[in-house]
Amino acid sequence: MKIAFYGSSLVSAYWNGAATYYRGLLRALAAKGYDITFYEPDVYDRQKNRDIEPPHWCKVVVYEGTVDALQRAAKEAAAADIVIKASGVGFEDDLLLDRVMAAARPSALKVFWDVDAPATLAELRTDPALPLHRALKGIDVVLTYGGGDPVIRAYRGMGAAECIPVYNGLDPETHHPVSPDRRFEADLGFLGNRLPDREARVEQFFLEPAKRLEKQTFLFGGSGWQDKPMPPNINYIGHVPTRDHNAFNVTPKAVLNISRSSMAENGFSPATRVFEAAGAGACIITDYWEGIELFLKPDEEILVVRDGQDLVDVLSGLTHERAREIGRRALARVLNEHTYEHRAAEADEIFRSRLHRTEAAE
């Protein structure tokens, strides 16, 4: 079956947190026999900052960031059995959704894939004129990469026929244990781009604890933080390319996951980063969010903190031996239950059952 997937970028992780999710899931779907074309706009300098070339398992079509180019790319949806428009493409998202769904054949499965459900739902609640409200009536299924029951209920309440989470996962070919790298030595590492609904939590869970733990070293990776005041025991290294993520994860004693405010409030939203770090065998410390135990067991496979004081206490008492054991357990758990092969099996069942349903109705 042919899939036309319209997303932010497959070939560049630059200002594009969904890249790992797209790559792992689509590669696993391709292994199941799907013929996938990924359409992405040339915006935000992503093409200048590619970290992979177009893969053999997916055709990549890069179109200019113009309305004319968008409309030409959207018309190609007519050739697909499954048409997917992701959230957060980054250029004329509303227009793209309209054109893609209009071009899809009546028999095609029409999917809206939300890679940031809390943010999308917040927009839907505050703006009744948002075109997605109307589009939901013609979409067969909404898929999300997080959110659990709160997101399912919200989307159903806004008119979606179905909403099903397909969570983040691990791609073991990309994220796996490697040897430590001296560039990333630290007691605690954090990797995350600067975003409005994350900044206050980064201050609470990372910058403030670093000030209080003067004798410990902190490693800070991610774009946009260069003008942020930091204590001297933080080593800020800016953007970390995907090829270095494994070393970044395994070298510090522990790595920190900080959810964006909307994700933490909603719960059931494990970041891609959690599975990346677990896949490398890292000891993960995460801020609390509801549903963590569905993915990793607190205190045994992941350490959970509720505020900056918790972080100070946990890091002060964490030995290298315990950190290594937590990392080993996390790796075993994600390999057993949370790879993109597991997620692709779920998506495959969703696609096939609903396509058969459509064929039966016709």
Side-chain angles (χ1 to χ4, degrees):
M1 286 186 283
K2 291 185 177 181
I3 296 178
F5 198 116
Y6 294 81
S8 51
S9 181
L10 188 74
V11 297
S12 177
Y14 186 70
W15 285 102
N16 180 33
T20 298
Y21 181 69
Y22 291 150
R23 292 169 187 174
L25 190 58
L26 296 184
R27 174 159 51 187
L29 283 170
K32 290 183 173 295
Y34 287 90
D35 179 359
I36 306 169
T37 302
F38 191 98
Y39 298 87
E40 58 181 80
D42 186 358
V43 293
Y44 300 122
D45 287 332
R46 286 176 182 145
Q47 300 307 315
K48 295 178 183 177
N49 291 278
R50 287 187 175 191
D51 51 329
I52 66 169
E53 290 304 311
H56 65 86
W57 40 265
C58 178
K59 180 183 178 183
V60 177
V61 175
V62 179
Y63 58 92
E64 294 178 357
T66 66
V67 170
D68 286 345
L70 176 154
Q71 295 190 113
R72 287 194 296 272
K75 287 179 180 178
E76 296 188 22
D81 303 295
I82 302 170
V83 176
I84 300 171
K85 160 65 173 72
S87 66
V89 171
F91 176 73
E92 295 286 351
D93 269 81
D94 293 336
L95 178 63
L96 180 61
L97 178 63
D98 178 72
R99 296 294 187 269
V100 164
M101 294 305 164
R105 300 195 310 263
S107 60
L109 183 68
K110 301 171 188 67
V111 180
F112 179 66
W113 207 313
D114 197 344
V115 295
D116 192 353
T120 305
L121 288 166
E123 285 187 62
L124 286 167
R125 292 186 185 105
T126 56
D127 186 358
L130 204 68
L132 182 55
H133 281 288
R134 298 190 303 275
L136 285 174
K137 296 180 176 64
I139 289 170
D140 296 305
V141 60
V142 174
L143 301 182
T144 70
Y145 86 167
D149 287 340
V151 163
I152 294 170
R153 288 194 300 269
Y155 262 116
R156 292 295 296 271
M158 290 183 182
E162 285 188 285
C163 177
I164 306 171
V166 179
Y167 291 105
N168 286 323
L170 168 68
D171 180 354
E173 292 186 30
T174 304
H175 296 98
H176 48 76
V178 298
S179 299
D181 186 322
R182 292 185 63 184
R183 294 177 297 161
F184 304 126
E185 288 180 351
D187 291 295
L188 183 68
F190 169 70
L191 179 59
N193 293 333
R194 191 175 190 174
L195 296 170
D197 72 340
R198 176 186 282 145
E199 187 161 353
R201 295 177 69 80
V202 170
E203 293 172 357
Q204 177 188 7
F205 285 95
F206 188 70
L207 299 180
E208 290 301 323
K211 289 180 185 177
R212 297 169 61 184
L213 294 170
E214 297 178 352
K215 295 183 179 180
Q216 300 216 30
T217 55
F218 294 74
L219 180 67
F220 194 172
S223 300
W225 300 97
Q226 57 274 4
D227 62 344
K228 186 75 175 176
M230 302 179 194
N233 59 335
I234 292 181
N235 176 22
Y236 176 61
I237 58 175
H239 175 67
V240 179
T242 305
R243 65 178 178 274
D244 288 332
H245 282 192
N246 290 323
F248 185 100
N249 287 326
V250 303
T251 305
K253 180 166 63 174
V255 294
L256 178 64
N257 173 68
I258 303 175
S259 306
R260 289 171 30 224
S261 298
S262 56
M263 294 287 193
E265 290 166 7
N266 189 81
F268 302 92
S269 300
T272 307
R273 203 118 162 81
V274 168
F275 297 107
E276 287 184 9
C283 174
I284 305 165
I285 302 174
T286 184
D287 58 336
Y288 172 79
W289 38 272
E290 188 177 357
I292 292 173
E293 65 282 353
L294 297 178
F295 306 97
L296 292 167
K297 188 172 183 179
D299 294 327
E300 294 186 15
E301 299 165 341
I302 193 169
L303 298 173
V304 181
V305 294
R306 292 178 179 266
D307 54 31
Q309 181 60 53
D310 271 2
L311 190 285
V312 169
D313 293 342
V314 166
L315 197 58
S316 297
L318 184 64
T319 65
H320 284 279
E321 182 178 5
R322 186 178 181 220
R324 285 191 292 269
E325 180 59 27
I326 290 169
R328 282 193 292 268
R329 290 176 178 174
L331 174 59
R333 175 74 179 273
V334 295
L335 286 174
N336 226 13
E337 298 180 21
H338 300 304
T339 69
Y340 280 114
E341 286 189 7
H342 293 98
R343 306 300 189 241
E346 297 167 13
D348 179 52
E349 172 59 28
I350 292 167
F351 294 158
R352 293 184 183 279
S353 63
R354 281 147 190 83
L355 278 168
H356 292 160
R357 189 186 303 169
T358 301
E359 290 169 0
E362 290 179 350

